Amino acid sequence: MVKRQLAISSDPAKLISPIPMQLDPVRMPDHLAIIMDGNGRWAKKRGLPRVMGHKAGVEALKTTLRLASNWGIGALTVYAFSTENWSRPGEEVNFLMSLFENVLQRELNLLKLEQVKISFIGDLSPLPIRLKGLIKEATEQTSANKGIHFNVCTNYGGRRELVLAAQKLAKRCINGELEPDLIDENAFAAELLTANDVDPDLVIRTSGERRISNFLLWQLAYAEIHITETLWPDFNENALIQALIDYQSRRRRFGGLEAESSKHYEI
Ligand code: FPP
């Protein structure tokens, strides 16, 4: 496995935080995926407009990215905007687009300094032109970075991603580049938007909802799932530690048998 370069920071308050004692450094996930949910409810509880929850959610995301990077997690993939989110009130959609723009502009230098490689996954074509420009700039300027790979799912839908992968494979077959019988799981996975990452080992969903919501449908096949009642803007270092403790307590079987249960019995 590629050894990732850990984050550095010129800000003493953001110096590398070591892996907490409660966690086994050898069993950290290589890839963490997060459904950041509960921003609206967080705001409502405080009598604030829903969009203030999204604003607060950015701070939780920055904290999580920095900790994941410092603790040697290779990739972090977050669900920032789904293909279904366009159906929200126009004001909220516009706020989110402006928020993405402002955050990208404000944080790009720090992402570069901290060796984060940022990618945007999804159909970016309907996004505002200014946002598309900033995404291109951020992607290009961080593409050679050796630290954590930060995937931001934007206008992303898992089913759409699968349909597009099938279309690409079909076209290659029609062009004579590929035999249909040779399409296997590796060939399929290579056409997905996450082709350069290992599949997530752990998916966290905040705010207590128990759904996958069209997120990484192929890639989450064997992921461990951690559901927390914590609303996304309240997700902090302690919540991440709890999720990782939960993950490290699981025995991953990938459809096989655990070592102890496959022992030989005499008849
Ligand atoms: C779900 O909460 C959250 C979202 C749809 C948006 C998440 C976006 C961010 C945290 C900002 C990320 C910023 C960048 C630059 C990547 P919800 O609104 O569905 O909450 P609710 O279920 O309580 O209504």
Side-chain angles (χ1 to χ4, degrees):
M1 200 200 328
V2 181
K3 190 79 198 130
R4 308 265 171 183
Q5 187 171 320
L6 297 187
I8 48 156
S9 176
S10 54
D11 180 349
K14 293 168 184 160
L15 283 174
I16 294 176
S17 46
I19 296 178
M21 298 275 287
Q22 304 98 302
L23 296 173
D24 177 353
V26 179
R27 298 180 59 221
M28 296 298 272
D30 284 326
H31 187 168
L32 170 63
I34 307 184
I35 302 176
M36 309 179 288
D37 198 9
N39 293 352
R41 276 163 283 170
W42 182 92
K44 194 170 172 209
K45 266 172 64 178
R46 287 162 177 76
L48 297 169
R50 285 180 54 79
V51 293
M52 289 298 112
H54 299 316
K55 200 162 174 237
V58 172
E59 297 310 310
L61 181 54
K62 282 164 60 181
T63 302
T64 304
L65 175 62
R66 178 161 295 114
L67 291 172
S69 169
N70 284 347
W71 297 348
I73 293 174
L76 173 68
T77 300
V78 297
Y79 210 0
F81 193 87
S82 74
T83 45
E84 291 74 31
N85 285 153
W86 294 109
S87 65
R88 294 188 174 208
E91 259 180 30
E92 183 170 340
V93 170
N94 290 342
F95 182 93
L96 276 168
M97 295 299 146
S98 303
L99 185 68
F100 295 160
E101 286 173 14
N102 293 341
V103 172
L104 263 185
Q105 202 163 32
R106 206 174 59 214
E107 301 295 330
L108 181 56
N109 278 340
L110 198 57
L111 291 174
K112 288 185 343 198
L113 188 68
E114 298 198 348
Q115 281 299 309
V116 175
K117 175 180 167 155
I118 191 166
S119 300
F120 287 78
I121 288 183
D123 176 9
L124 308 181
S125 58
L127 301 180
I129 288 183
R130 183 159 176 270
L131 176 56
K132 282 198 277 197
L134 287 165
I135 286 176
K136 187 166 180 284
E137 190 186 347
T139 307
E140 284 173 2
Q141 292 190 16
T142 63
S143 65
N145 284 355
K146 299 278 180 279
I148 191 167
H149 189 193
F150 178 38
N151 291 309
V152 184
C153 294
T154 313
N155 192 26
Y156 172 87
R159 286 186 174 180
R160 180 88 193 122
E161 181 185 29
L162 295 177
V163 168
L164 289 175
Q167 285 178 359
K168 285 188 223 158
L169 290 169
K171 282 178 191 158
R172 287 178 56 202
C173 289
I174 289 171
N175 294 340
E177 295 165 28
L178 184 65
E179 280 292 322
D181 287 346
L182 294 182
I183 298 176
D184 58 9
E185 292 187 11
N186 287 335
F188 205 96
E191 299 297 346
L192 298 175
L193 300 166
T194 52
N196 296 324
D197 290 310
V198 294
D199 286 342
D201 307 286
L202 169 66
V203 58
I204 298 173
R205 181 161 190 158
T206 56
S207 89
E209 303 293 345
R210 289 163 165 74
R211 289 184 295 278
I212 288 296
S213 297
N214 206 14
F215 184 48
L216 303 177
L217 294 181
W218 173 284
Q219 298 89 333
L220 294 181
Y222 290 102
E224 298 296 328
I225 303 176
H226 175 83
I227 311 266
T228 169
E229 297 296 323
T230 305
L231 303 175
W232 176 249
D234 289 329
F235 194 86
N236 56 15
E237 176 164 357
N238 186 46
L240 182 59
I241 292 172
Q242 293 313 314
L244 293 169
I245 289 174
D246 185 20
Y247 167 74
Q248 293 189 342
S249 74
R250 313 276 180 92
R251 293 182 182 184
R252 305 194 71 199
R253 304 193 322 168
F254 299 96
L257 295 176
E258 288 171 35
E260 310 96 292
S261 52
S262 59
K263 65 187 169 198
H264 178 74
Y265 289 98
E266 284 186 32
I267 304 170

